[in-house]
Amino acid sequence: MSNHQSAHHDKLAVRLSVIISRLMAGESLYLNTLAEEFRVSERTLQRDFHQRLAHLDIQHEDGCYRLANGRLHDHSPAALSLIRNIGLSPLIPMQDKALMNLLMDGSGTSPCLIWHTPLNPAAMRSDCFQRLAEAIHRHCTISVLVGGIRHDALEPYRLIYQQHCWYLVTSYQRSICVFRLDDIISVTLLEHRFRRRNEVNDLIAEEGFIAALPHFRFISDVINTFRS
């Protein structure tokens, strides 16, 4: 590459980087002003916007250019936190910034779909789900009503989805208790806070434990029978 070509590409890179940074800052850019600043023709700048920056969602009218939403947001940190927090990480082979922004972009067709059997909306109370999520996040003990029986002073650890059903995993007097969410009638957050135990955190994240959730009640009954 000749010195002339190298200088041309350097000027192009600088010009595009300045334009992109201003668009991301929410500025409206005018062709005549940019042409004077960069000492290029308006036709060259039109090529910048319509060809070189075509991947950006840019609006233009009467020589004025701006991002459609005013600012290009980076959604990748939120997307990464979401897929890691709810256990979707093993399903996403590459978790880089570009892919996360594609997954969070609601303006076009989503590139991915995770299929699952839909829940029966009538089988689970949304208000219970919300309260349980809050209690787990705040480390609040809870009281739940299940089949006419009240269970008090439970320490909620996690809501886990397994085989078309949500399960609430709790601890009570240092023993693990599991409830199907569609069996829970009401949830009450109590004032008492609890300290999460690492051994419980590790146990309920194990593949074997999660796989056994649909049979947890039967397993517990067998264990209690032998204990008694």
Side-chain angles (χ1 to χ4, degrees):
M1 181 182 296
S2 66
N3 291 336
H4 175 74
Q5 289 176 314
S6 178
H8 170 76
H9 285 294
D10 288 344
K11 290 180 180 180
L12 173 61
V14 170
R15 184 171 74 246
L16 293 179
S17 65
V18 171
I19 290 174
I20 291 172
S21 64
R22 291 178 182 174
L23 288 171
M24 292 178 65
E27 295 184 27
S28 297
L29 306 179
Y30 295 86
L31 286 183
N32 55 356
T33 304
L34 293 174
E36 185 175 338
E37 177 182 352
F38 295 112
R39 298 187 179 184
V40 295
S41 66
E42 292 188 11
R43 191 169 184 175
T44 296
L45 289 164
Q46 287 176 334
R47 190 181 303 116
D48 288 343
F49 284 111
H50 296 286
Q51 295 180 16
R52 299 176 177 121
L53 302 177
H55 62 288
L56 298 179
D57 190 10
I58 299 176
Q59 294 178 336
H60 63 94
E61 183 178 2
D62 297 330
C64 176
Y65 290 77
R66 66 175 66 89
L67 282 180
N69 295 321
R71 183 182 293 270
L72 187 64
H73 293 287
D74 179 11
H75 297 287
S76 59
L80 279 169
S81 294
L82 176 64
I83 68 168
R84 289 169 181 168
N85 288 346
I86 65 176
L88 289 179
S89 295
L91 303 181
I92 310 296
M94 186 173 67
Q95 297 166 29
D96 65 355
K97 178 178 177 179
L99 178 59
M100 293 303 103
N101 280 320
L102 280 175
L103 295 177
M104 293 292 287
D105 187 356
S107 62
T109 302
S110 174
C112 303
L113 174 65
I114 298 174
W115 176 253
H116 56 83
T117 303
L119 291 168
N120 179 4
M124 185 178 63
R125 296 173 58 94
S126 59
D127 56 338
C128 289
F129 194 97
Q130 173 71 27
R131 288 176 189 152
L132 289 171
E134 181 181 353
I136 293 169
H137 181 72
R138 293 173 49 197
H139 301 179
C140 292
T141 57
I142 58 173
S143 173
V144 298
L145 181 62
V146 180
I149 300 175
R150 175 69 62 180
H151 300 266
D152 292 317
L154 297 175
E155 300 173 349
Y157 272 77
R158 181 160 286 183
L159 293 164
I160 300 178
Y161 185 76
Q162 163 71 337
Q163 291 189 12
H164 323 311
C165 182
W166 279 100
Y167 295 89
L168 169 65
V169 181
T170 71
S171 175
Y172 176 71
Q173 294 183 351
R174 306 189 71 82
S175 296
I176 301 295
C177 300
V178 175
F179 303 91
R180 288 169 54 104
L181 254 66
D182 50 14
D183 292 336
I184 297 178
I185 299 172
S186 68
V187 177
T188 303
L189 273 66
L190 306 178
E191 295 295 328
H192 180 69
R193 302 289 181 93
F194 69 96
R195 184 185 296 275
R196 295 175 66 96
R197 290 180 283 144
N198 291 333
E199 61 270 24
V200 176
N201 289 332
D202 294 340
L203 172 65
I204 66 177
E206 291 181 1
E207 182 178 352
F209 177 86
I210 296 174
L213 281 175
H215 318 291
F216 192 88
R217 184 179 302 172
F218 172 75
I219 294 171
S220 297
D221 290 344
V222 171
I223 293 174
N224 290 333
T225 297
F226 278 101
R227 282 177 176 172
S228 60

